[in-house]
Amino acid sequence: MFDISRMNLMWISFYSLGAMALAAVLIYVARYVVKNRFLSIIISMVAWVLLIAAFLLMIPVLGGSTHA
């Protein structure tokens, strides 16, 4: 589906998984560690952007590679 080498797809999947893990940590920090409400909202928004970016990065990985 995509003309990306399999090795590059592997790295994209690692970046995506890292972004998901970082988003989970940021949500935890925003909910339980940060007491300032405004800062908590900002951290949560950053986490959501990371999560959406991670899901979008997974599209080429799940689509596969046509590179031989």
Side-chain angles (χ1 to χ4, degrees):
M1 183 172 188
F2 296 99
D3 191 24
I4 303 172
S5 72
R6 291 183 181 108
M7 187 62 78
N8 286 339
L9 283 177
M10 178 193 72
W11 285 111
I12 291 171
S13 70
F14 286 160
Y15 294 144
S16 180
L17 289 171
M20 287 184 206
L22 183 60
V25 169
L26 285 176
I27 289 293
Y28 174 81
V29 167
R31 284 187 180 182
Y32 300 113
V33 176
V34 176
K35 300 301 180 196
N36 186 352
R37 183 74 176 152
F38 178 74
L39 189 58
S40 175
I41 291 171
I42 297 297
I43 293 172
S44 294
M45 287 171 54
V46 169
W48 277 104
V49 167
L50 269 174
L51 192 61
I52 291 169
F55 286 140
L56 290 177
L57 277 174
M58 273 297 180
I59 292 172
V61 173
L62 294 175
S65 174
T66 58
H67 194 58

